[in-house]
């Protein structure tokens, strides 16, 4: 995959995504919600956090802004981190999304060095880009420099033998069943060192 082709694949996979900002969290309501999720009374939660019942009641009702020390006590008592006190709960919605890609039915994207078959291509707003790749390249000279892009990447060798070149590590030979997980902002290229073109499964994060 040359640099332009790699960037285009990532861009295409991200198209249709929308940037959304979460509304500010009502700390009092959040604390009350966390307490009730544990079936604790005010007294039980206050004792667990090492706070006075009246203090916890005022926090829940928005009648006082807790100090950082009080926030730490609350977090420890609720067995969560301080940031989680300000994190809205996950939406209670099950999307049930699924995409099945039968063998050979993926969306083809060929380059001079790789042949890609995008998997799960019908899903939009994915957080991962999975694809099967046939490795045509046999030397680093076939690439126009390093491939780099945002995110992390995982590869798994399906057939043949490959050599994984990365910007900061020695080249490593990988055979069927071998895998690698790496930071995709680090320059990386793959060539086939077996007689036949190697095939690998690649999964790239999109967040």
């Amino acid at each position: 995959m040359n640099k332009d082709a790699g960037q285009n694949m990532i861009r295409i996979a991200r198209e249709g995504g929308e940037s959304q900002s979460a509304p500010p969290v009502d700390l009092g309501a959040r604390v009350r919600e966390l307490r009730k999720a544990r079936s604790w009374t005010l007294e039980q939660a206050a004792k667990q956090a090492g706070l006075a019942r009246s203090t916890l009641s005022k926090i829940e009702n928005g009648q006082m802004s807790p100090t950082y020390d009080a926030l730490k006590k609350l977090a420890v008592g609720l067995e969560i981190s301080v940031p989680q006190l300000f994190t809205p709960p996950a939406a209670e919605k099950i999307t049930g999304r699924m995409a099945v890609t039968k063998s050979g039915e993926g969306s083809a994207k060929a380059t001079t060095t790789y042949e890609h078959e995008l998997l799960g291509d019908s899903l939009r707003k994915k957080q991962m880009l999975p694809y099967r790749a046939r490795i045509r390249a046999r030397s680093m000279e076939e690439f126009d420099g390093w491939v780099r892009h945002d995110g992390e990447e995982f590869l798994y060798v399906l057939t043949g033998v490959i050599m994984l070149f990365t910007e900061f590590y020695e080249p490593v030979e990988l055979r069927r069943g071998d895998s690698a997980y790496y930071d995709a902002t680090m320059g990386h290229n793959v060539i086939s060192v077996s007689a036949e073109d190697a095939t690998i499964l690649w999964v790239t994060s999109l967040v």
Side-chain angles (χ1 to χ4, degrees):
M1 173 167 50
N2 58 41
K3 288 186 287 186
D4 290 340
Q7 295 289 0
N8 286 340
M9 282 183 58
I10 303 301
R11 178 184 57 76
I12 291 169
R14 285 180 172 146
E15 281 181 351
E18 298 176 1
S19 177
Q20 296 181 343
S21 57
V25 173
D26 181 329
L27 177 62
R30 176 69 169 143
V31 171
R32 186 184 304 110
E33 175 188 54
L34 290 167
R35 172 175 65 80
K36 290 187 174 181
R38 290 158 176 75
S39 299
W40 289 349
T41 63
L42 269 172
E43 288 80 2
Q44 289 173 318
K47 182 178 180 181
Q48 192 77 9
L51 296 171
R53 180 192 181 284
S54 59
T55 298
L56 181 56
S57 177
K58 288 178 181 178
I59 292 173
E60 287 193 2
N61 291 301
Q63 295 173 353
M64 71 173 289
S65 297
T67 63
Y68 184 69
D69 184 59
L71 288 175
K72 286 196 295 184
K73 288 182 178 180
L74 269 174
V76 170
L78 293 167
E79 298 178 340
I80 60 174
S81 65
V82 171
Q84 284 177 290
L85 287 171
F86 300 92
T87 304
E92 295 183 2
K93 181 175 69 174
I94 300 174
T95 62
R97 296 199 310 162
M98 185 172 79
V100 174
T101 307
K102 295 295 184 94
S103 179
E105 294 182 359
S107 178
K109 303 286 181 182
T111 72
T112 56
T113 50
Y114 305 142
E115 286 183 14
H116 296 300
E117 182 187 3
L118 302 186
L119 309 173
D121 197 36
S122 61
L123 290 182
R124 294 294 175 260
K125 301 182 183 178
K126 296 191 292 287
Q127 297 188 43
M128 298 183 295
L129 173 62
Y131 50 102
R132 184 163 41 231
R134 176 183 170 191
I135 312 302
R136 292 173 166 177
R138 290 298 194 279
S139 72
M140 284 287 286
E141 286 68 33
E142 297 179 50
F143 296 90
D144 181 21
W146 290 113
V147 172
R148 293 188 184 90
H149 50 82
D150 293 340
E152 298 177 321
E153 203 155 69
F154 173 80
L155 71 79
Y156 182 92
V157 182
L158 299 171
T159 66
V161 185
I162 66 167
M163 188 71 73
L164 171 62
F165 292 86
T166 55
E167 194 171 5
F168 306 130
Y169 296 87
E170 289 296 318
V172 58
E173 184 179 282
L174 299 171
R175 297 173 174 271
R176 180 179 178 181
D178 293 341
S179 62
Y181 189 112
Y182 50 89
D183 180 356
T185 60
M186 172 178 64
H188 56 280
N189 291 323
V190 173
I191 67 170
S192 176
V193 294
S194 50
E196 72 281 4
D197 291 346
T199 58
I200 65 177
L201 172 66
W202 242 320
V203 182
T204 301
S205 68
L206 296 174
V207 292

